[in-house]
Amino acid sequence: MKQIKLPGVKQGISQLIMGSDYFAPEVYELVCTNLDAFTAIGGNTIDSAFIYAGGKSEQAIGMWMEERKNRESINVWTKGGHPNHLGPQVNKQSIYNELMISLERLRTDYIDLYALHRDDTNVPVGEIVEILNEHIEAGRIRTFGGSNWTTARLQEANEYAAAHGLRGFEFSSPNLSLAKAQEPYWADCISVDEEILGWHERTELPLLSWSAQARGFFTGRFTAEDRTDADLVRVFYNDDNWERYRRAEQLGKEKGFSTIQIALAYVLNQSFQTAAIIGARNEAEMKSCLEATTITLTPEEVKWLDLRTR
């Protein structure tokens, strides 16, 4: 499987990243089955967060790594700083507290990739950069990025870092998919539009996408007339996205791949480094995702799929 590179991370990051929002010790057998299948296809990076399954996701990953004795070959990505009932948690004490708990749950002493799950624009971005660099220096994290951060704040953060001789945000994790979100799937989430895409093309900041397959929009299970999935309708149902679906279907037939594989290939064939979080839960889905990583799309095909050439 192809890999991308991030500063400070000891090994490449597989283009497919295993999602774990449903992981928990209570379904440990399923966790093991899916993680074993994921590593069998060449995957080496697992995405989690302090809040996933109330902390049980990190616990299950820690159990699996300890049992398999494979910590050194796995990139652990976790996130902190998500707002809770007390409000925003992007501050020095909260980040430290959550990170220390995450390390304990994961049964490790370092995080390969760390991201702030949300931003708090009331906190000066330079202060946030300073906090995260302290954790780099302490060896608790190897690299850091932002999940659902605006490009304006990422730009400001990295300008501050450059001016002060510090590490900046080395990746971003918004939603990038062939289907474009017409409103956030969850509150305060960021989906890539043409402006954000252009910024990543210019800066070449690596992008690790969540919902890279648009919540199943390209599976073939849905039609424009089928409005049973209210969230899918709310976020992705519009004429442009159905045209993107038709184009992915057409290109898939020409290349011998499924529509959803072309949609995943779109994410992985940008002009800058990208990876995609996947939610595969069986061997067939895992194989489908792996096959999508072998698809090469030309820049013209990427733009055509995205309706940037009509």
Side-chain angles (χ1 to χ4, degrees):
M1 186 187 301
K2 297 175 185 176
Q3 296 183 342
I4 69 172
K5 301 290 186 181
L6 287 180
V9 180
K10 62 185 180 295
Q11 61 193 343
I13 294 148
S14 54
Q15 268 202 309
L16 299 180
I17 297 172
M18 191 68 203
S20 70
D21 57 353
Y22 63 92
F23 284 14
E26 290 84 349
V27 292
Y28 186 59
E29 185 175 341
L30 176 64
V31 171
C32 290
T33 297
N34 286 342
L35 286 179
D36 289 345
F38 176 64
T39 55
I41 66 168
N44 70 357
T45 305
I46 308 168
D47 164 62
S48 191
F50 181 81
I51 65 166
Y52 285 174
K56 292 182 178 182
S57 168
E58 292 178 327
Q59 290 174 9
I61 294 166
M63 291 166 60
W64 176 78
M65 289 191 300
E66 187 174 88
E67 189 175 280
R68 297 296 186 270
K69 297 180 173 57
N70 62 0
R71 175 66 186 95
E72 289 303 309
S73 63
I74 297 297
N75 293 317
V76 174
W77 172 17
T78 201
K79 301 181 285 293
H82 194 286
N84 61 22
H85 65 286
L86 298 174
Q89 298 300 299
V90 182
N91 59 73
K92 186 169 185 174
Q93 193 61 53
S94 294
I95 290 171
Y96 175 81
N97 291 345
E98 290 187 359
L99 182 54
M100 297 307 291
I101 292 170
S102 290
L103 288 168
E104 182 178 357
R105 290 171 179 166
L106 289 159
R107 307 186 185 195
T108 187
D109 58 2
Y110 68 96
I111 302 297
D112 302 276
L113 294 82
Y114 180 77
L116 288 175
H117 216 152
R118 295 288 191 276
D119 190 8
D120 180 359
T121 55
N122 292 315
V123 180
V125 76
E127 182 179 326
I128 297 171
V129 170
E130 298 274 0
I131 292 168
L132 294 173
N133 271 266
E134 289 177 11
H135 290 296
I136 290 273
E137 292 166 12
R140 299 185 191 101
I141 62 177
R142 300 286 172 86
T143 186
F144 63 83
S147 176
N148 297 296
W149 276 51
T150 65
T151 55
R153 282 280 279 186
L154 291 169
Q155 181 79 37
E156 185 183 355
N158 286 354
E159 288 173 357
Y160 178 93
H164 293 81
L166 298 169
R167 296 262 298 269
F169 282 70
E170 291 165 336
F171 67 92
S172 178
S173 182
N175 159 237
L176 169 63
S177 63
L178 180 55
K180 306 306 173 193
Q182 52 196 358
E183 64 178 83
Y185 201 89
W186 295 288
D188 300 322
C189 283
I190 301 290
S191 288
V192 173
D193 56 18
E194 195 165 334
E195 182 180 348
I196 296 172
L197 189 63
W199 184 86
H200 276 276
E201 289 173 343
R202 291 191 302 275
T203 64
E204 297 186 336
L205 189 76
L207 189 155
L208 314 182
S209 173
W210 56 266
S211 286
Q213 294 167 302
R215 315 295 294 181
F217 182 81
F218 294 95
T219 59
R221 296 196 304 266
F222 306 99
T223 65
E225 295 72 35
D226 176 7
R227 307 181 71 83
T228 54
D229 189 318
D231 281 329
L232 209 67
V233 171
R234 174 177 61 85
V235 178
F236 294 120
Y237 272 40
N238 61 42
D239 290 343
D240 279 353
N241 281 336
W242 287 117
E243 176 60 22
R244 293 184 177 101
Y245 182 99
R246 286 188 288 272
R247 292 189 181 196
E249 184 178 42
Q250 176 186 329
L251 192 58
K253 289 176 179 176
E254 293 173 6
K255 291 180 177 287
F257 291 95
S258 67
T259 306
I260 197 167
Q261 287 175 317
I262 294 295
L264 182 54
Y266 162 83
V267 173
L268 301 178
N269 277 268
Q270 297 297 319
S271 64
F272 50 92
Q273 291 193 106
T274 56
I277 301 170
I278 61 170
R281 298 199 186 193
N282 57 54
E283 186 177 350
E285 291 177 355
M286 206 76 71
K287 181 182 177 184
S288 172
C289 291
L290 179 61
E291 289 175 351
T293 68
T294 69
I295 302 171
T296 298
L297 300 178
T298 67
E300 292 73 25
E301 286 172 330
V302 170
K303 290 178 180 179
W304 179 76
L305 286 169
D306 207 11
L307 309 188
R308 286 195 277 172
T309 55
R310 292 186 185 245

